[in-house]
Amino acid sequence: MGLIKAAFGATGGTLADQWKEFFYCDALDSDILVIKGRKRTSGRSSNTRGNDNIISSGSGIAVADGQCMIIVEQGRIVEACAEPGEFTFDASTEPSLFSGNLDSNFGDTLRTIADRIAYGGDTGKDQRVYYFNIKELVGNKFGTPTPVPFRVVDQNIGLDIDISVRCNGIYSYRITNPLLFYANVCGNVREAYTRAEIDSQLKSEFMSALQPAFAKISTMGIRYSAIPGHTLELCDAMNEVLTSKWAQLRGLSIVSVAINSITASKEDEDMIKELQRSAVMRNPSMAAARLVEAQSEAMKAAATNKNGSMAGFMGFGMAQQAGGVNAQDLYRLGVQQAPEQPQQHGPKSRWTCSCGTENDGRFCSECGKPKPEEQGWVCSCGAVNKGKFCSECGKPRPAGALLYRCDKCGWEPKDPQHPPKFCPECGDPFDEGDLH
């Protein structure tokens, strides 16, 4: 009797599973990460007795935007699709008389019946369709229950200290590798896998990764109060820290991080401000200005002294002498330490005086002689030249504009057109070699 019952059950079940199914998934809520696909059946459908975990060859599976579908057979992923549209599963191990070649499918159906008889008339197979929510999952709030260390680095004043900050905000993530998420996180879920099942773990790991992410931000010279304006850098730093845990283990990635506020304790704030004020005083000019301001306030206080202004000014003078710091000395030191200002004008042409001193002004710095006037031939464009061509327009020197200069010592006559027969400086005679 048992064998006959198994034969009838195997035959009826196999014939009931011959219908092609259509799997679909309604709009996924933001709280659902993974959900099992459902077969579409209605009151007019004859496919009401098929096995829920059997997918016949040729069945259709609808995939919407923001979804990724996988087919799991015997606990192993055999197909995956993240492209919107209809996916046809024509590689199933469950044959259908309505798909493919009728003769071959009929033989496969008979073999399926025989296999099911061996399992007591029931199927020895499990096939499922799962849909993954691959949209950005927003609204994950976080906050620091205890202060988080933050390194404050200011290269301008040589500041490098650790303080404690508190922050809160929200972050978003998404499933970037559904296959990895299925294998390591959700597995064969019965109906749906929600965010509530993993959010507490993710938030704890997120807060643990926030401290090294802050360290990477601080090394970039970004102050903690300016972090809300650098969310992209913080997001990259969080992904870099969480890559091994989230991306490589679970197939998740941080999409964005929004910081509402970051506050430090009052003690740390006061300490940073005091250090910054002290660093400003390293500049002698700033220190002198501060000293002058303090002296001005002291003079006002001395003038209003209850024991008389003279007594107040005497005390002011004694305090000034005891301080050992003079504003004029500080100003002088600031001028000496100030960086050399760039020249506002172009470089001046240098000339050599007859005394041998090189100068760039109008008079010699040693003997006071004026700079000799520039001599040469005048081009039609107005430029004064000494060479064979005009330095401004490139015109050649006119034939009558012959210039002489001693080729031994460089002496030039005041009248270049009528030089003497001998150089008055070295005695060298003027000839064709002195023309230039």
Side-chain angles (χ1 to χ4, degrees):
M1 289 295 293
L3 185 60
I4 296 174
K5 184 179 179 181
F8 276 106
T11 303
T14 301
L15 293 178
D17 290 333
Q18 293 299 301
W19 304 102
K20 294 194 296 185
E21 293 89 6
F22 182 78
F23 290 84
Y24 72 101
C25 176
D26 288 330
L28 291 172
D29 294 335
S30 58
D31 292 332
I32 296 178
L33 299 178
V34 183
I35 193 171
K36 185 180 177 182
R38 295 185 296 171
K39 294 180 181 180
R40 172 166 290 174
T41 57
S42 63
R44 294 175 296 178
S45 177
S46 299
N47 186 14
T48 57
R49 295 185 179 181
N51 195 301
D52 287 339
N53 290 343
I54 293 296
I55 308 174
S56 301
S57 183
S59 296
I61 304 172
V63 182
D65 283 319
Q67 297 178 354
C68 177
M69 176 276 302
I70 68 170
I71 299 175
V72 180
E73 182 172 345
Q74 304 295 78
R76 182 173 62 90
I77 300 174
V78 294
E79 291 286 354
C81 179
E83 184 178 352
E86 182 178 358
F87 178 84
T88 302
F89 185 38
D90 53 6
S92 175
T93 56
E94 276 294 317
S96 173
L97 297 174
F98 303 100
S99 176
N101 186 275
L102 182 60
D103 294 337
S104 60
N105 287 339
F106 185 76
D108 293 337
T109 301
L110 293 179
R111 283 189 291 272
T112 300
I113 294 174
D115 292 338
R116 292 193 180 190
I117 291 175
Y119 285 98
D122 203 350
T123 177
K125 193 173 297 182
D126 185 87
Q127 295 174 312
R128 305 185 184 194
V129 176
Y130 288 111
Y131 288 90
F132 289 79
N133 188 352
I134 58 175
K135 298 189 296 291
E136 181 182 3
L137 304 172
V138 299
N140 303 280
K141 297 181 180 180
F142 71 91
T144 53
T146 57
V148 178
F150 185 85
R151 182 184 177 193
V152 178
V153 179
D154 191 341
Q155 301 292 347
N156 295 326
I157 63 175
L159 181 63
D160 189 348
I161 59 173
D162 289 330
I163 65 173
S164 297
V165 298
R166 290 179 179 270
C167 66
N168 64 81
I170 57 176
Y171 69 93
S172 64
Y173 65 92
R174 62 178 297 184
I175 300 175
T176 54
N177 192 335
L179 307 184
L180 195 60
F181 188 84
Y182 172 83
N184 294 340
V185 181
C186 65
N188 269 359
V189 297
R190 194 170 202 179
E191 287 298 330
Y193 188 88
T194 62
R195 292 166 62 177
E197 301 181 53
I198 195 174
D199 267 0
S200 60
Q201 179 70 23
L202 295 183
K203 286 183 179 180
S204 298
E205 294 180 1
F206 182 90
M207 296 307 301
S208 298
L210 196 60
Q211 181 175 340
F214 276 170
K216 292 181 180 296
I217 292 295
S218 64
T219 54
M220 298 168 60
I222 300 173
R223 286 204 61 189
Y224 66 92
S225 57
I227 289 180
H230 297 270
T231 54
L232 292 179
E233 292 87 343
L234 182 59
C235 183
D236 294 339
M238 292 295 294
N239 273 321
E240 184 177 349
V241 176
L242 291 173
T243 294
S244 59
K245 283 189 176 181
W246 286 25
Q248 298 177 6
L249 180 63
R250 302 190 183 100
L252 301 175
S253 296
I254 298 291
V255 177
S256 64
V257 179
I259 304 292
N260 294 331
S261 64
I262 299 181
T263 56
S265 63
K266 186 177 184 304
E267 293 79 7
D268 289 338
E269 282 282 0
D270 294 341
M271 175 185 63
I272 293 175
K273 291 179 180 179
E274 183 63 30
L275 291 174
Q276 289 175 337
R277 282 194 292 266
S278 300
V280 171
M281 295 300 108
R282 296 177 185 176
N283 188 327
S285 298
M286 294 293 294
R290 186 68 181 271
L291 180 60
V292 170
E293 180 184 5
Q295 291 175 350
S296 176
E297 294 296 329
M299 292 177 66
K300 291 180 182 180
T304 58
N305 191 285
K306 295 181 180 180
N307 297 323
S309 60
M310 291 302 298
F313 278 108
M314 289 176 62
F316 168 73
M318 294 175 63
Q320 187 176 16
Q321 293 178 3
V325 179
N326 188 288
Q328 294 297 330
D329 294 338
L330 290 175
Y331 277 126
R332 191 177 301 107
L333 182 61
V335 172
Q336 294 175 357
Q337 295 182 356
E340 184 178 353
Q341 297 294 329
Q343 294 184 356
Q344 300 296 326
H345 306 285
K348 297 181 179 179
S349 58
R350 300 184 64 83
W351 56 278
T352 303
C353 180
S354 58
C355 67
T357 305
E358 289 189 357
N359 306 275
D360 54 11
R362 298 180 62 183
F363 296 89
C364 177
S365 60
E366 287 293 329
C367 63
K369 291 183 179 179
K371 178 182 178 180
E373 295 183 2
E374 189 175 7
Q375 298 180 357
W377 58 276
V378 181
C379 181
S380 58
C381 66
V384 179
N385 304 276
K386 294 184 178 181
K388 296 181 179 180
F389 297 90
C390 177
S391 59
E392 290 294 329
C393 63
K395 291 182 179 180
R397 181 181 61 194
L402 299 177
L403 300 178
Y404 286 87
R405 181 176 57 198
C406 181
D407 57 355
K408 296 294 188 297
C409 65
W411 180 84
E412 295 179 1
K414 294 184 178 181
D415 185 3
Q417 303 297 330
H418 303 88
K421 294 183 178 180
F422 297 93
C423 174
E425 293 289 335
C426 63
D428 183 69
F430 279 92
D431 54 17
E432 294 293 329
D434 297 302
L435 283 172
H436 66 282

